[in-house]
Amino acid sequence: MMSTILIILSIILIGLLLISAWYGGFYNIRFKTTQCGGETVAFLPHKGDYKRTGKVMDEVYYTLLNEFKIETFKGVSIYYDDPDNTPTSELRSEVGCVIENPDLELIEKISQKFQVKVVPKREYLTTEFPYKGKPSVIVGVIRVYPAIKKQTRQNNLPENGHIMEIYDIPNKKIVYRKAMEE
């Protein structure tokens, strides 16, 4: 009886470890400081719990697809506040999609429904994390955000500055960018 329980628990533990590994639980997070930006983003401002930004991103994606016949392949969330220091109801973010190769006419049409901006080109602390489905987003938050805080402290980098997540679906990765200054 006891050996059966140990076998079952071992199988469960091995299964959890495999699932964790698949979604990036053991991925080696490496940072670099680089000049990037310049993407055109159609977005909606969001105030409140960051956990709800996925629904906003879906809304932007499906509106672009169904109303404007624009298929996007990169979702974007820009988080302005640290949830450890800001009440949940006061958290500010911008959530949407990258518009590839936009022209002025297209931007004007999209601007009737969404806010549109070009992400400023500047220096960011960046890292990438594998994207293998929505659980990767959760594992990424658990693994990457503490690593960003550690990296900024160890290297005397500015702690303020928004963090951007780019969900690059074709390349199966999440790109994290922490602005070095606002």
Side-chain angles (χ1 to χ4, degrees):
M1 171 87 165
M2 186 60 118
S3 64
T4 304
I5 292 172
L6 286 175
I7 291 171
I8 292 171
L9 289 175
S10 296
I11 291 170
I12 291 170
L13 181 60
I14 290 169
L16 290 173
L17 287 172
L18 289 172
I19 291 168
S20 179
W22 176 255
Y23 288 110
F26 304 109
Y27 185 78
N28 188 12
I29 299 168
R30 294 188 179 129
F31 291 97
K32 63 182 177 180
T33 302
T34 185
Q35 212 44 31
C36 49
E39 299 89 355
T40 300
V41 178
F43 69 94
L44 290 172
H46 175 75
K47 190 170 183 183
D49 197 339
Y50 287 159
K51 292 176 187 171
R52 294 195 172 92
T53 59
K55 289 183 181 183
V56 178
M57 190 177 298
D58 287 346
E59 177 185 342
V60 174
Y61 173 81
Y62 286 110
T63 302
L64 288 170
L65 184 63
N66 296 327
E67 290 185 27
F68 297 100
K69 307 301 181 220
I70 300 169
E71 187 171 13
T72 60
F73 300 99
K74 294 179 183 174
V76 175
S77 295
I78 303 172
Y79 301 107
Y80 290 99
D81 302 300
D82 182 343
D84 292 337
N85 303 325
T86 306
T88 302
S89 63
E90 298 299 313
L91 294 171
R92 298 168 299 131
S93 57
E94 296 172 342
V95 185
C97 298
V98 173
I99 306 299
E100 302 289 341
N101 305 313
D103 60 44
L104 193 55
E105 184 180 319
L106 180 62
I107 296 301
E108 286 179 15
K109 287 180 188 177
I110 294 171
S111 295
Q112 295 172 14
K113 192 86 168 182
F114 301 111
Q115 293 184 32
V116 178
K117 72 176 182 180
V118 175
V119 175
K121 287 188 178 186
R122 60 168 61 160
E123 194 168 83
Y124 293 91
L125 178 67
T126 65
T127 191
E128 296 179 356
F129 195 79
Y131 179 82
K132 296 183 180 179
K134 290 190 180 191
S136 294
V137 176
I138 296 165
V139 175
V141 167
I142 293 167
R143 300 265 340 277
V144 174
Y145 279 87
I148 289 172
K149 285 185 178 188
K150 182 178 178 182
Q151 186 76 8
T152 56
R153 287 187 188 122
Q154 284 180 343
N155 294 293
N156 295 318
L157 300 172
E159 290 191 30
N160 65 334
H162 67 271
I163 296 178
M164 177 185 303
E165 296 177 8
I166 301 173
Y167 305 95
D168 185 343
I169 303 307
N171 293 306
K172 297 181 170 120
K173 64 184 176 180
I174 305 169
V175 177
Y176 294 85
R177 293 182 186 164
K178 183 192 180 307
M180 300 305 283
E181 59 186 65
E182 283 300 327

